[in-house]
Amino acid sequence: MSSTSTVSTLSTASRRSFAHRAGTVLSVLLGLACLWFGINFSLFPEAAASGFGIPSWPDGQAAGYFGVKAARDLANGAVVLTLLALGRRRSLAWVMLLLAIVPFGDALAVLGHGGTYAAALGIHAATGVVVVLTAVLLFATSRASGRESGRVLDRSAL
């Protein structure tokens, strides 16, 4: 093997390893962030809401939406961290791609309810981009195994 192809192989392996680690780290951070937001909206809804980007927040009975946001965030974080812990990177990639709907939808909600472009784009749309990037990294560094691709497993492999 020539030294050029060895360097090329090492470089490819190094890039793949970096992408694998980056996908993992971003998944952990996004999962933990979702859990944090869920806990924060559960315990301190008014304080947590101020950072969301919509200027006037519901009060009275309408404040029940804080609980909805808390439950959504807790569930999203739990799903992300569970799939990662189970080693289901390809499944997690699909889930991340679908979860990107949430921050982009939040950005539209902020814009549609008097929020600033800075909050909509800087908080929510930017988060959506990071979620999509994480999905791309997970797809790029995962292989469709029998368990994750939907194919029936060969029982002799168990």
Side-chain angles (χ1 to χ4, degrees):
M1 184 181 272
S2 73
S3 64
T4 305
S5 65
T6 303
V7 170
S8 176
T9 302
L10 289 175
S11 178
T12 301
S14 178
R15 282 193 305 267
R16 183 166 173 78
S17 177
F18 174 78
H20 187 274
R21 274 188 250 117
T24 301
V25 167
L26 287 171
S27 295
V28 168
L29 291 175
L30 289 167
L32 291 175
C34 284
L35 291 179
W36 167 251
F37 294 138
I39 291 168
N40 208 20
F41 264 91
S42 292
L43 299 177
F44 312 105
E46 291 81 14
S50 68
F52 190 80
I54 296 176
S56 62
W57 277 89
D59 54 11
Q61 294 287 31
Y65 286 105
F66 294 140
V68 172
K69 171 141 175 47
R72 177 189 81 175
D73 289 343
L74 287 169
N76 290 345
V79 167
V80 167
L81 295 174
T82 299
L83 287 172
L84 190 62
L86 293 173
R88 304 297 181 121
R89 294 178 69 82
R90 191 153 192 88
S91 297
L92 178 56
W94 282 109
V95 167
M96 285 291 201
L97 199 56
L98 294 171
L99 286 178
I101 295 168
V102 173
F104 289 123
D106 289 348
L108 292 174
V110 168
L111 290 175
H113 293 87
T116 65
Y117 280 97
L121 301 177
I123 298 169
H124 302 290
T127 300
V129 169
V130 171
V131 174
V132 170
L133 172 66
T134 303
V136 169
L137 289 169
L138 290 166
F139 276 125
T141 60
S142 66
R143 286 181 241 148
S145 67
R147 289 185 299 191
E148 289 199 78
S149 66
R151 294 188 311 262
V152 177
L153 281 175
D154 176 9
R155 294 183 192 267
S156 64
L158 299 176

